[in-house]
């Protein structure tokens, strides 16, 4: 429950609870059937996103599983912490691309060898929602310090872009573009992409309703941001939340 979460993460916890509750309660009156025959509630149909998780073992066949989420947790590649001052700063689009197609080394139990092994786990988005809900995962006591550092970095451009474009390519790799303003005031798309280090055959056992529509592209505009402002020292958890919301077009005048 939101009340049991630390102060910095309470709006996030409440939002997750609210979306799950609304999806469950509205499901019976607004139930839709997806192309694959899966029932979808109103919230799930609007912002649900599919993921496939792949654990690659060195001594046996890879293990695949699927999941679906209403919110995407941003992830931060620890290799970014080794960048020096001579390399370009990490942009938001690069963080989002990594979160939608991330990999992490870990140790996992192998039923074949009956032992723990060093493996590579990958979690890859296989569909795109109409509404993209993001959790920055850099607030609170247990936040990723690298994530907080990236959000606080100084940059001539706004680090959080107003517009992004996400594409799932035919080979399941993820491409993210963010709209940036150059020093001469012009807008241009900055692209972040990386070839997927997996063969296409890896996905043959995964049936996804959108796979026949690849490549798939969605464009998103920033509508709202909730931030936590600390009071006192940087290690203090006291503070308050601020909500920034885009003014509707019919009210801008």
């Amino acid at each position: 429950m939101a009340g049991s979460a630390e102060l910095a993460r309470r709006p996030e916890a409440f939002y997750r609870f609210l979306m799950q509750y609304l999806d469950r309660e509205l499901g019976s009156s607004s139930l839709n059937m997806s192309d694959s025959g899966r029932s979808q509630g109103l919230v799930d149909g609007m912002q649900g996103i599919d993921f496939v998780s792949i654990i690659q073992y060195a001594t046996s066949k890879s293990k695949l599983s699927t999941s679906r989420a209403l919110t995407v947790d941003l992830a931060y590649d620890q290799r970014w912490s080794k960048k020096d001052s001579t390399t370009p700063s990490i942009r938001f689009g690069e963080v989002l691309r990594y979160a939608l197609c991330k990999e992490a080394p870990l140790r996992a139990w192998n039923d074949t060898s009956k032992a723990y092994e060093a493996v590579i786990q990958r979690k890859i988005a296989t569909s795109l929602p109409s509404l993209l809900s993001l959790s920055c995962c850099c607030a609170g006591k247990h936040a990723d310090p690298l994530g907080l550092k990236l959000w606080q970095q100084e940059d001539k451009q706004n680090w959080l872009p107003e517009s992004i474009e996400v594409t799932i390519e035919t080979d399941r790799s993820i491409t993210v573009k963010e709209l940036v303003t150059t020093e001469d005031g012009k807008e241009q798309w900055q692209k972040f992409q990386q070839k997927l280090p997996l063969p296409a055959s890896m996905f043959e056992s995964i049936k996804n309703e959108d796979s026949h529509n690849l490549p798939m592209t969605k464009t998103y505009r920033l509508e709202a941001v909730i931030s936590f402002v600390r009071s006192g020292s940087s290690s203090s958890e006291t503070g308050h939340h601020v909500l920034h919301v885009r003014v509707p077009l019919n009210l801008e005048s």
Side-chain angles (χ1 to χ4, degrees):
M1 296 294 292
S4 62
E6 55 184 308
L7 179 62
R9 304 297 291 269
R10 285 183 186 177
E12 175 189 349
F14 177 71
Y15 177 80
R16 291 177 188 269
F17 166 77
L18 183 62
M19 291 300 101
Q20 292 172 356
Y21 175 81
L22 290 176
D23 190 58
R24 183 176 67 250
E25 293 301 311
L26 297 177
S28 59
S29 59
S30 60
L31 202 64
N32 298 315
M33 298 298 292
S34 67
D35 294 339
S36 61
R38 180 183 62 203
S39 60
Q40 290 183 337
L42 177 64
V43 176
D44 181 85
M46 179 173 59
Q47 64 184 72
I49 180 169
D50 292 304
F51 286 91
V52 56
S53 295
I54 303 171
I55 297 180
Q56 288 184 287
Y57 294 97
T59 60
S60 63
K61 188 177 180 181
S62 299
K63 184 182 296 185
L64 280 73
S65 62
T66 59
S67 61
R68 190 168 173 85
L70 300 179
T71 299
V72 176
D73 293 326
L74 291 185
Y76 306 94
D77 190 340
Q78 295 306 308
R79 289 173 293 187
W80 295 336
S81 62
K82 299 178 181 179
K83 285 182 174 288
D84 55 37
S85 58
T86 62
T87 57
S89 59
I90 301 298
R91 297 292 304 169
F92 176 83
E94 190 170 357
V95 174
L96 180 58
R97 188 213 61 79
Y98 180 75
L100 295 175
C101 185
K102 63 183 178 183
E103 62 178 56
L106 50 81
R107 293 183 64 82
W109 179 260
N110 189 337
D111 291 331
T112 303
S113 63
K114 304 299 180 183
Y116 283 97
E117 293 184 7
V119 301
I120 297 295
Q121 183 182 47
R122 291 184 172 89
K123 187 174 183 180
I124 304 167
T126 57
S127 70
L128 295 173
S130 299
L131 188 156
L132 183 61
S133 171
L134 301 176
S135 172
C136 301
C137 299
C138 59
K141 297 178 181 178
H142 305 291
D144 187 326
L146 174 59
L148 186 59
K149 182 179 179 181
L150 292 178
W151 279 87
Q152 293 177 334
Q153 67 183 335
E154 296 183 4
D155 201 314
K156 294 180 180 180
Q157 303 171 348
N158 290 334
W159 193 76
L160 184 62
E162 289 195 25
S163 298
I164 58 172
E165 182 181 284
V166 183
T167 300
I168 300 181
E169 307 289 356
T170 305
D171 63 353
R172 305 291 185 125
S173 61
I174 308 290
T175 298
V176 174
K177 297 179 182 179
E178 66 172 74
L179 191 61
V180 300
T181 303
T182 61
E183 294 183 357
D184 56 0
K186 297 181 180 180
E187 291 186 335
Q188 65 180 25
W189 289 100
Q190 188 170 355
K191 182 187 293 187
F192 305 92
Q193 60 183 157
Q194 183 175 341
K195 184 175 177 60
L196 191 67
L198 295 170
S201 59
M202 184 76 72
F203 298 95
E204 290 179 354
S205 61
I206 300 296
K207 293 183 179 180
N208 181 268
E209 61 195 71
D210 297 313
S211 60
H212 60 281
N213 294 324
L214 297 181
M216 151 194 335
T217 299
K218 295 275 188 178
T219 301
Y220 301 98
R221 187 180 74 162
L222 182 64
E223 294 293 342
V225 177
I226 296 180
S227 55
F228 180 69
V229 181
R230 285 194 178 115
S231 300
S233 66
S234 60
S235 60
S236 172
E237 289 306 315
T238 59
H240 61 279
H241 291 90
V242 179
L243 172 62
H244 307 266
V245 182
R246 181 184 293 276
V247 178
L249 291 176
N250 59 348
L251 297 179
E252 288 183 349
S253 58

